[in-house]
Amino acid sequence: MNFVDCHEEKIHISGHIQDFGYLIGLDADSQTVKFFSQNISELFPMDKGFFGKKISDDPQAFRALLDSVVLTNLDFKTMRETDVFLDRIEIKGKPFHLTIYRYLENVFLEFEQIIEHFIQKNFVTKKYENIHNATDSKDIWNELLNSVYEAVEYDRIMLYRFLEDGSGKVIAEKVKSKVESFLHLHYPENDIPRQARALYLKKRKRIFSNVYSEPVPIISSTDAAVDLTYSSVRAMSPVHGQYLKNTGVASSFSTSIVINNKLWGMVTCQNIEPKHIDLVNRIRAEVFTVIAANAYTSYKSKQLLADSIELDRKIVALKAKLMAYDNLENSLFSNVAEMQEYPEADGLAIIVGHHIRTSGQVPSDENILKIVQYARENPLKNFYATNHFSNPHQRNLGSIENAAGVMFGFTDDKRNELLIWFRKEIDGQILWAGNPAKKTEARIVDGEELILISPRKSFETYIEEIKGKAQPWKNKDIFAAKKVVATILETTYTQFRRVQELNEELRNLNEELDSFSYTISHDLGTPLTVIKLNAQLLEKSHHDNPEVRKRIASILKEILGMENMMRDVLSLSRAKSSEITVQELSATAIVNKVSCDMKLTLNQNAEIIVGDLPNVMGDETMLTQVFLNIIGNAVKYSSKSENPKVEINGKVEGDYVIYTVKDNGIGIPESAHAHMFKIFNRMDNAKSFEGNGVGLSIAYRIMKRLGGNITYESKENEGTTFILTFKKP
């Protein structure tokens, strides 16, 4: 007898699809039929005899497919796994959605009958504005639920957020009258197991139209399982189906909320009766979810920035107070009450050797020394935070008064000095949607008796009392505590090795920031493309409505600006992290090519004079990026001059090669000199020109990586000369 955890269920290879859909699978290389759904004969006269044949071999049977302009113009071999193509076709006099995509070695053709045509009104635009204009996270999620409700009209629509332990909580909800509310209820991790969460990160919208319908088998030419990871018609897991039946619903639809490439939560929709949602409305719901996720990310970033600015202000004041004392102990002990408040703690203990100074509500000195010993003996925890210090699974010290939450950080190499922040135990409850304890049942599967996790049969509110826990430390609390520790290090130690360690930490933080910038810019590309596609479809469908077209044109302009900004942020990230090959290069050909391109794209009237350019040490790709930005700026910002002129020259000076790029453009105001190479910085006199303030940051970062430098000389309204310093070959 074997035990099978719900995390082990292979839901992506179910071998079935739902009965509202139809499926044909083709081999990507040979374009021949490999598999199809058993119900495909309702649309086309197919049987196993078609295995190994192309649909073009029987043009009469597949006329509807062969008439699809989208399908017939696709090259299966060059299709990427992220590409999805949609078309509307007619089969036997009925309209169908045709979805085409490739996954692994297969090309999938999925069909579902159109049940609702696109409503001819500026629906998406209005909902976009409502979500975009929301002022806080609560409003963002409520606007999202309202928008999704109008697209799908299910009985219950919930916003489900995943917590760190894999469990989840309903944080927003919209229900019809007489439908039970699940708002604020928690759900255990095994309700949405790991492999389901991984699948929801890939396939971000999914529907279960009728939990009582029989799934349709897939008939294949081989014994290999068909991977339905990205299928819109994939049959749902029997465990999932039974789970929904137990909740009293017959249909479900959900879209994933993905933030920073992680599954943050889901919009989960449930209907008491079976209900299918047309593909167009499912896409609408997904677009709204992407817009809301972006709005939430923006809101949190602004909030983080505001918190950071306020914390920096406090840290500056703290630094001045710490430096007013001659020794470390007096410096720390005199500011203990102030430092307690930075992470919003109930108490703080500062330990220097065996001396203790406290503020607020803290454990006894004896228990504090026990925690100090625990911290000093754990080699992996130079900084540590928990809201459940008594948790035996973490090998902690058990229950200590005023120490349910503990956060500590060391301020020296020898672990002699440390700060410990405390939070008291809170009396609280967790409301679960049913008892979260796992229940099992025995089933016979393929002749073998298995013990399976049984879907919960009751969702009656179950109350769990919270014991031994404190209010969780928020990210801003942890960040503040680390800032305090770093400030103490900065103001009390001068040893070179400590400075080196701080620089290493700063480098790691910068690398994380670059990775974050790259991930955000890269991952926003796909949803931005979806938004752009829908906006273009709207523009075509409203060609006779000037007001709607004006609004859509505004949306498309903003999308273009976002695309350019994301592309530049990606370039900035690559400028620091990409591998480079520094070698002797002739820059003449690169400069001539870039100059020609800039004239064609920015100002054909510009006169560009290229003088003698000695060879330099550089990387060809990076060097091209530098000249694209510097020469591009020179041409752009001199375009309004009567006789725009750019001069590019070079000379050897000692061990360096100096290039100058001189223009007669608008020049740089003196007030902007201190910020010229900072990202997103733009001069006041440059606001009438296209740009986003990233180009010079890219050039600066590249020149530093090449072992060179970039400076400039400029006068407002007279022009600018950029000076590029390279290593001499």
Side-chain angles (χ1 to χ4, degrees):
M1 182 181 299
N2 293 325
F3 176 81
V4 179
D5 199 326
C6 53
H7 296 293
E8 301 172 12
E9 190 180 13
K10 297 180 180 180
I11 57 180
H12 62 297
I13 52 173
S14 63
H16 294 76
I17 66 170
Q18 297 182 61
D19 63 357
F20 71 81
Y22 306 85
L23 173 66
I24 296 176
L26 306 177
D27 182 83
D29 291 328
S30 66
Q31 302 183 22
T32 57
V33 176
K34 288 180 65 176
F35 52 85
F36 52 78
S37 57
Q38 190 178 64
N39 62 353
I40 197 67
S41 58
E42 297 175 14
L43 305 185
F44 305 106
M46 291 184 70
D47 55 27
K48 294 182 179 180
F50 275 86
F51 287 145
K53 295 181 180 180
K54 299 181 179 180
I55 58 176
S56 58
D57 291 342
D58 193 342
Q60 183 175 355
F62 295 100
R63 175 52 53 197
L65 282 177
L66 297 176
D67 285 344
S68 168
V69 177
V70 175
L71 177 61
T72 54
N73 282 281
L74 283 177
D75 183 353
F76 292 168
K77 295 181 179 179
T78 60
M79 284 177 66
R80 298 173 301 175
E81 292 186 353
T82 55
D83 293 335
V84 178
F85 300 90
L86 304 174
D87 199 5
R88 180 188 184 281
I89 63 175
E90 191 169 292
I91 306 174
K92 297 182 178 180
K94 296 179 180 179
F96 281 80
H97 292 297
L98 168 61
T99 303
I100 310 160
Y101 63 94
R102 174 174 178 168
Y103 185 50
L104 303 175
E105 73 279 3
N106 298 322
V107 172
F108 292 76
L109 309 181
E110 295 183 356
F111 311 85
E112 55 179 284
Q113 190 171 345
I114 297 175
I115 62 173
E116 179 179 339
H117 294 286
F118 194 83
I119 300 173
Q120 300 298 318
K121 62 179 181 178
N122 53 352
F123 177 79
V124 174
T125 302
K126 287 182 178 179
K127 293 304 174 185
Y128 164 80
E129 291 175 349
N130 290 346
I131 296 172
H132 181 74
N133 294 332
T135 56
D136 57 30
S137 58
K138 181 179 179 180
D139 286 345
I140 290 170
W141 300 133
N142 284 333
E143 288 295 343
L144 171 60
L145 294 189
N146 288 334
S147 301
V148 173
Y149 177 82
E150 291 192 34
V152 303
E153 293 186 359
Y154 266 42
D155 294 330
R156 178 190 294 116
I157 300 181
M158 303 177 289
L159 195 137
Y160 181 94
R161 179 173 184 177
F162 289 104
L163 306 179
E164 289 185 4
D165 61 359
S167 66
K169 179 182 178 181
V170 179
I171 63 171
E173 182 186 59
K174 185 177 180 65
V175 297
K176 291 183 179 179
S177 59
K178 299 182 180 180
V179 175
E180 182 182 2
S181 172
F182 290 162
L183 185 61
H184 305 311
L185 295 186
H186 287 70
Y187 290 76
E189 178 195 14
N190 48 289
D191 274 22
I192 306 178
R194 284 190 299 270
Q195 85 280 27
R197 297 196 296 272
L199 192 60
Y200 293 165
L201 187 58
K202 295 178 179 179
K203 179 63 178 176
R204 300 187 181 183
K205 64 179 181 296
R206 53 230 163 258
I207 188 168
F208 203 166
S209 296
N210 185 354
V211 300
Y212 296 99
S213 65
E214 289 296 323
V216 179
I218 295 174
I219 300 172
S220 178
S221 59
T222 69
D223 293 332
V226 178
D227 193 319
L228 299 173
T229 291
Y230 291 97
S231 174
S232 295
V233 298
R234 171 176 55 85
M236 296 299 169
S237 150
V239 175
H240 184 197
Q242 187 59 53
Y243 177 90
L244 290 174
K245 292 175 184 176
N246 292 350
T247 66
V249 302
S251 180
S252 74
F253 169 71
S254 58
T255 64
S256 302
I257 301 173
V258 178
I259 295 176
N260 296 341
N261 205 32
K262 293 182 179 179
L263 187 63
W264 185 92
M266 299 192 307
V267 178
T268 301
C269 312
Q270 298 176 340
N271 209 64
I272 305 302
E273 300 296 330
K275 183 174 183 178
H276 182 63
I277 305 299
D278 189 83
L279 179 61
V280 168
N281 281 344
R282 303 201 309 265
I283 292 175
R284 281 180 183 167
E286 183 182 27
V287 170
F288 294 143
T289 304
V290 169
I291 293 171
N294 292 343
Y296 177 77
T297 301
S298 176
Y299 165 74
K300 296 299 287 185
S301 296
K302 291 177 183 177
Q303 194 177 56
L304 179 62
L305 178 60
D307 291 341
S308 180
I309 291 172
E310 175 62 18
L311 178 61
D312 284 344
R313 185 188 64 78
K314 292 182 178 179
I315 288 294
V316 169
L318 175 63
K319 189 183 298 184
K321 292 178 180 178
L322 291 173
M323 295 181 69
Y325 294 86
D326 295 332
N327 64 71
L328 172 65
E329 188 169 313
N330 289 341
S331 175
L332 295 179
F333 286 177
S334 298
N335 292 285
V336 60
E338 180 174 346
M339 288 188 284
Q340 173 199 330
E341 299 175 359
Y342 283 73
E344 296 184 10
D346 293 318
L348 168 65
I350 298 179
I351 296 89
V352 179
H354 293 289
H355 298 165
I356 301 173
R357 183 66 58 88
T358 64
S359 173
Q361 296 175 290
V362 299
S364 65
D365 284 2
E366 180 183 359
N367 282 329
I368 289 176
L369 289 175
K370 288 181 181 179
I371 298 172
V372 171
Q373 183 178 358
Y374 166 87
R376 287 173 175 167
E377 292 177 353
N378 194 321
L380 300 179
K381 295 179 179 177
N382 284 325
F383 189 92
Y384 172 75
T386 179
N387 73 316
H388 192 190
F389 192 63
S390 63
N391 187 347
H393 299 296
Q394 297 180 7
R395 298 183 179 180
N396 293 333
L397 300 181
S399 179
I400 295 177
E401 186 179 9
N402 293 328
V406 170
M407 178 164 59
F408 63 72
F410 287 96
T411 62
D412 73 323
D413 276 347
K414 297 180 180 180
R415 298 188 164 209
N416 198 40
E417 301 97 21
L418 76 157
L419 283 69
I420 311 176
W421 287 271
F422 299 99
R423 278 184 174 172
K424 298 181 298 181
E425 180 179 354
I426 58 171
D427 293 325
Q429 298 176 333
I430 294 181
L431 303 179
W432 294 93
N435 191 326
K438 293 182 179 180
K439 294 185 178 181
T440 60
E441 62 181 23
R443 291 186 188 177
I444 304 297
V445 179
D446 296 331
E448 181 182 8
E449 185 177 5
L450 302 177
I451 301 298
L452 304 173
I453 298 296
S454 174
R456 287 180 293 127
K457 294 180 173 61
S458 171
F459 291 83
E460 183 178 351
T461 301
Y462 176 87
I463 301 175
E464 178 188 5
E465 300 292 338
I466 302 298
K467 297 293 183 183
K469 289 185 179 182
Q471 191 72 25
W473 303 103
K474 296 181 179 179
N475 287 335
K476 69 175 184 178
D477 296 319
I478 295 172
F479 184 69
K482 288 183 176 180
K483 270 277 193 180
V484 170
V485 172
T487 301
I488 294 170
L489 286 167
E490 180 183 349
T491 55
T492 58
Y493 291 90
T494 58
Q495 292 98 328
F496 176 72
R497 186 159 59 87
R498 292 301 298 156
V499 174
Q500 276 190 318
E501 291 177 2
L502 286 172
N503 286 337
E504 181 63 28
E505 183 177 353
L506 181 61
R507 280 195 294 272
N508 291 336
L509 288 171
N510 282 333
E511 287 173 3
E512 289 178 10
L513 181 60
D514 284 336
S515 175
F516 175 78
S517 300
Y518 181 90
T519 301
I520 287 291
S521 299
H522 181 273
D523 290 355
L524 282 178
T526 298
L528 203 60
T529 300
V530 173
I531 297 170
K532 185 177 181 180
L533 176 61
N534 279 276
Q536 289 170 339
L537 289 173
L538 276 171
E539 187 176 40
K540 290 181 180 179
S541 63
H542 292 281
H543 64 274
D544 56 349
N545 191 325
E547 181 61 26
V548 173
R549 293 190 66 187
K550 179 180 177 182
R551 285 178 174 269
I552 296 172
S554 176
I555 293 173
L556 290 171
K557 182 180 179 181
E558 292 298 324
I559 291 173
L560 178 61
M562 288 179 67
E563 287 175 337
N564 290 334
M565 183 174 291
M566 288 190 298
R567 186 159 46 247
D568 285 344
V569 171
L570 281 171
S571 297
L572 183 65
S573 179
R574 293 191 184 107
K576 185 173 183 180
S577 58
S578 298
E579 292 185 5
I580 63 172
T581 303
V582 179
Q583 58 186 339
E584 182 175 353
L585 292 174
S586 170
T588 303
I590 298 174
V591 169
N592 285 331
K593 174 68 167 56
V594 170
S595 299
C596 182
D597 291 346
M598 292 301 99
K599 284 190 64 173
L600 287 173
T601 57
L602 295 177
N603 183 9
Q604 297 185 17
N605 296 322
E607 179 185 4
I608 302 180
I609 302 172
V610 180
D612 183 38
L613 299 177
N615 288 2
V616 297
M617 293 298 291
D619 175 272
E620 186 172 357
T621 301
M622 292 293 185
L623 205 58
T624 302
Q625 189 72 42
V626 169
F627 288 126
L628 279 170
N629 285 295
I630 300 302
I631 298 175
N633 279 355
V635 174
K636 177 169 61 175
Y637 292 123
S638 62
S639 61
K640 294 183 180 180
S641 301
E642 185 174 348
N643 296 300
K645 183 178 181 180
V646 178
E647 299 177 72
I648 306 167
N649 292 288
K651 61 181 178 179
V652 177
E653 287 187 6
D655 293 333
Y656 296 94
V657 177
I658 311 297
Y659 283 8
T660 57
V661 181
K662 180 180 180 182
D663 67 63
N664 61 347
I666 61 175
I668 301 171
E670 188 173 344
S671 60
H673 285 200
H675 312 288
M676 282 306 297
F677 297 110
K678 292 185 177 180
I679 188 170
F680 300 131
N681 176 69
R682 299 212 71 203
M683 305 176 297
D684 290 337
N685 62 342
K687 296 298 174 65
S688 62
F689 295 85
E690 289 285 337
N692 52 40
V694 181
L696 285 182
S697 299
I698 295 172
Y700 180 85
R701 189 171 278 189
I702 290 174
M703 290 303 296
K704 290 296 184 181
R705 287 199 70 195
L706 295 178
N709 196 20
I710 176 171
T711 58
Y712 63 89
E713 297 172 354
S714 182
K715 287 187 178 180
E716 191 172 6
N717 299 320
E718 293 184 18
T720 302
T721 300
F722 274 91
I723 304 161
L724 306 176
T725 303
F726 298 90
K727 287 184 177 180
K728 177 183 174 183

